[in-house]
Amino acid sequence: MTKAIVTAALLLAGCAALSGAAAQDKPAKLKIGFVYSGPVGEYGWSYQHDQARQAVVKQFGDKIETTVLAGVGEGAEAERTIEQLARAGNKLVFTTSFGYMDPTLKVAKKYPDVKFENATGYKHEKNVATYSARFYEGRFVQGTIAARISKTGVLGYIAPFPTPEVISGINATLLAAQKINPDIKMKIVWVNTWFNPGKEAEAARALLGQGADVLMQNTGSAAAMQVANERGAHAFAQDSDQIKFGPKAQLTGIVDNWAPYYASRVQAALDNSWQAGDAFGGLNDRMIVMAPYTNMPDDVKKLAADTEAGIIAGGIKPFACPVFDQDGKEVECKGGDHLDDGQVRGMEFYVKGIDDSIPGR
């Protein structure tokens, strides 16, 4: 073998060794799993979570790898799905439904080296964090608008399950509306689902039949918005902007903005600073934002904007004391001049003025 050939061979071997070392030195991608309760589609709860996932992918590039499992039921199905992601090597898993709380905890105990984040839950472990938003702040703005817009004095509310988040939203809506019209009424239809366009449309039609002319919801489809648009009523979007489904009906909507939170948690996982905690953001830190104010007079639009600004500044508190329950009993005020976060996040009562009963209570 000539000297030139030997030299070339040594150079190639050296390059291969360096290449192998570089590959070994390059950190493995952080695998991240996302579990959604509904389809991603083009609007709604799961859509907004996936918009946040896409923003994270764009920000972190080849440092991460994401997997999405959508339309996952609660209970045993959720537990199997979450464990599937853990077994597949995902080291950070976002489970985006209150109904996934207990399944997340069960899997977390079996995989202590995996970090879990449960949306809207309240139970924690060393490797289970929770995050939610002050949706009730947006609902207070909506209640203010609804009372000014409604001609019948009847509001319609489509509710999924009687969780504290849903109940606090109903209460915040009515408390705001009562400040404008003390005699305003609210009709509630419980559909026992987070996402079912057929049931939601049926509930919307039932509420309109009971005299409601402004609809709101805590469910995930655009069905109610479409019904309102067809029937000449008004409605509020849920989770994402649904103006294209109700160009004549939509007044505004609560738009979930999870991207900043997701980015912060991914970064924490990457730099090994992740810790279990509980995030509870609102209008002030833009974990929720209001969709543009439309289909309303300028004075109502100004009132809505002023209400939103007042909540952000802290001068307006949706659950300002005194608060009275359905039976007229004053609720203990643990936050000084307002109900504290614990009371809101554990809310299991209706406020005075709601002529309905909470399912299962």
Side-chain angles (χ1 to χ4, degrees):
M1 185 181 292
T2 67
K3 183 177 180 180
I5 294 175
V6 171
T7 301
L10 289 172
L11 286 171
L12 288 171
C15 289
L18 288 172
S19 177
Q24 290 178 355
D25 290 342
K26 186 177 181 179
K29 291 182 179 181
L30 173 66
K31 296 182 71 174
I32 308 170
F34 292 82
V35 186
Y36 301 154
S37 57
V40 173
E42 54 183 345
Y43 56 84
W45 176 260
S46 294
Y47 172 79
Q48 288 301 124
H49 283 283
D50 203 62
Q51 288 292 293
R53 180 194 66 82
Q54 292 179 40
V56 165
V57 169
K58 183 176 180 179
Q59 179 174 338
F60 292 95
D62 62 3
K63 294 180 181 179
I64 66 172
E65 175 184 329
T66 65
T67 298
V68 172
L69 296 176
V72 177
E74 299 177 356
E77 182 183 352
E79 186 176 344
R80 288 193 300 270
T81 301
I82 297 165
E83 184 160 4
Q84 177 185 338
L85 289 169
R87 284 182 175 177
N90 291 278
K91 295 301 181 183
L92 178 61
V93 178
F94 292 94
T95 62
T96 63
S97 175
F98 181 87
Y100 297 159
M101 178 172 62
D102 289 334
T104 299
L105 290 168
K106 287 182 181 180
V107 177
K109 290 177 181 178
K110 296 167 65 174
Y111 296 87
D113 61 331
V114 178
K115 303 170 181 64
F116 296 88
E117 301 256 358
N118 176 233
T120 71
Y122 60 87
K123 295 180 181 179
H124 307 89
E125 288 289 342
K126 290 183 178 179
N127 61 330
V128 179
T130 57
Y131 60 105
S132 189
R134 300 176 188 274
F135 304 112
Y136 67 88
E137 293 181 345
R139 298 197 187 283
F140 193 86
V141 177
Q142 291 183 168
T144 302
I145 297 168
R148 287 289 300 273
I149 291 295
S150 177
K151 295 179 179 178
T152 65
V154 180
L155 310 181
Y157 206 109
I158 302 170
F161 298 100
T163 66
E165 174 214 320
V166 174
I167 294 169
S168 67
I170 292 170
N171 286 338
T173 301
L174 188 65
L175 287 173
Q178 288 173 335
K179 291 181 181 297
I180 305 297
N181 177 4
D183 298 320
I184 200 157
K185 304 298 181 184
M186 178 182 285
K187 301 292 185 179
I188 304 169
V189 172
W190 293 91
V191 292
N192 299 311
T193 179
W194 292 108
F195 181 89
N196 186 314
K199 283 188 175 183
E200 293 170 64
E202 183 180 343
R205 287 189 285 268
L207 289 166
L208 293 176
Q210 295 176 50
D213 60 352
V214 179
L215 301 179
M216 53 204 71
Q217 65 191 68
N218 209 144
T219 49
S221 87
M225 181 66 70
Q226 291 171 312
V227 170
N229 200 64
E230 293 166 1
R231 299 287 187 88
H234 287 96
F236 294 100
Q238 171 70 16
D239 299 319
S240 62
D241 194 340
Q242 299 174 347
I243 189 68
K244 67 181 180 181
F245 299 100
K248 297 180 294 184
Q250 180 169 303
L251 297 166
T252 183
I254 300 168
V255 179
D256 306 335
N257 181 32
W258 303 115
Y261 177 77
Y262 279 10
S264 69
R265 301 304 278 171
V266 170
Q267 184 60 58
L270 286 168
D271 61 25
N272 296 315
S273 64
W274 188 96
Q275 291 183 332
D278 178 42
F280 194 39
L283 290 170
N284 184 50
D285 52 14
R286 296 183 62 78
M287 189 171 271
I288 58 170
V289 296
M290 302 305 296
Y293 298 120
T294 57
N295 295 310
M296 64 183 75
D298 288 343
D299 62 329
V300 179
K301 186 179 296 187
K302 183 179 185 304
L303 177 62
D306 288 347
T307 302
E308 178 184 354
I311 293 173
I312 291 172
I316 295 177
K317 300 183 186 303
F319 290 106
C321 296
V323 174
F324 297 92
D325 69 14
Q326 197 172 27
D327 298 324
K329 181 181 177 181
E330 185 172 349
V331 179
E332 181 183 2
C333 194
K334 296 182 179 180
D337 62 349
H338 62 283
L339 302 188
D340 69 11
D341 284 351
Q343 290 178 289
V344 176
R345 299 188 74 177
M347 193 166 281
E348 295 187 346
F349 66 88
Y350 279 146
V351 295
K352 187 176 181 180
I354 295 181
D355 183 20
D356 190 45
S357 58
I358 300 174
R361 302 293 196 276

